[in-house]
Amino acid sequence: QVQLVESGGALVQSGGSLRLSCAASGFTFSDYAMRWYRQAPGKEREFVAAIGTAGGTTTYADSVKGRFTISRDNAKNTVNLQMNSLKPEDTAVYYCNVFYLYYDYWGQGTQVTVSS
């Protein structure tokens, strides 16, 4: 079955950096676009970034453009999110996502907390 396991979340000071990773299994990873979402306390889950199958096409939310970089390693079945210049408003649980066989799959999430 499809499994997505995020890691890398932590407490970091404003202006700092973190690198999140998502390990995927249960499907042919290289055939599917991958996405990162986040959910802050009391808010709806929101799109952060997406990457195409070969990694050449990326899309970002305006709020993270220029600060976050999504990448993937199809040999290792992983998708990463490099987050630089972090702000307190980036505090959220970050989720990895794949839309596979007409269903959205999610990982358990990883907590990112940015202190001011």
Side-chain angles (χ1 to χ4, degrees):
Q1 71 277 23
V2 173
Q3 284 195 322
L4 302 171
V5 180
E6 301 95 337
S7 62
L11 171 64
V12 63
Q13 288 190 334
S14 182
S17 298
L18 279 176
R19 183 177 177 85
L20 306 184
S21 291
C22 171
S25 60
F27 62 103
T28 305
F29 180 78
S30 58
D31 287 349
Y32 292 87
M34 299 296 296
R35 299 169 186 82
W36 284 96
Y37 284 76
R38 67 186 182 186
Q39 188 166 19
K43 295 188 176 181
E44 293 189 353
R45 193 170 297 188
E46 65 175 1
F47 169 79
V48 174
I51 188 166
T53 55
T57 302
T58 56
T59 307
Y60 298 93
D62 287 344
S63 59
V64 307
K65 205 171 290 184
R67 300 187 298 122
F68 290 11
T69 303
I70 189 171
S71 62
R72 65 189 296 158
D73 185 337
N74 286 343
K76 296 182 178 180
N77 287 6
T78 58
V79 57
N80 305 301
L81 187 68
Q82 178 66 42
M83 306 186 296
N84 298 329
S85 302
L86 283 162
K87 305 175 182 180
E89 51 263 44
D90 294 319
T91 295
V93 178
Y94 284 71
Y95 296 93
C96 183
N97 165 267
V98 64
F99 185 68
Y100 172 70
L101 295 182
Y102 307 106
Y103 188 80
D104 267 319
Y105 287 89
W106 303 90
Q108 82 288 349
T110 187
Q111 176 70 49
V112 172
T113 303
V114 184
S115 64
S116 56

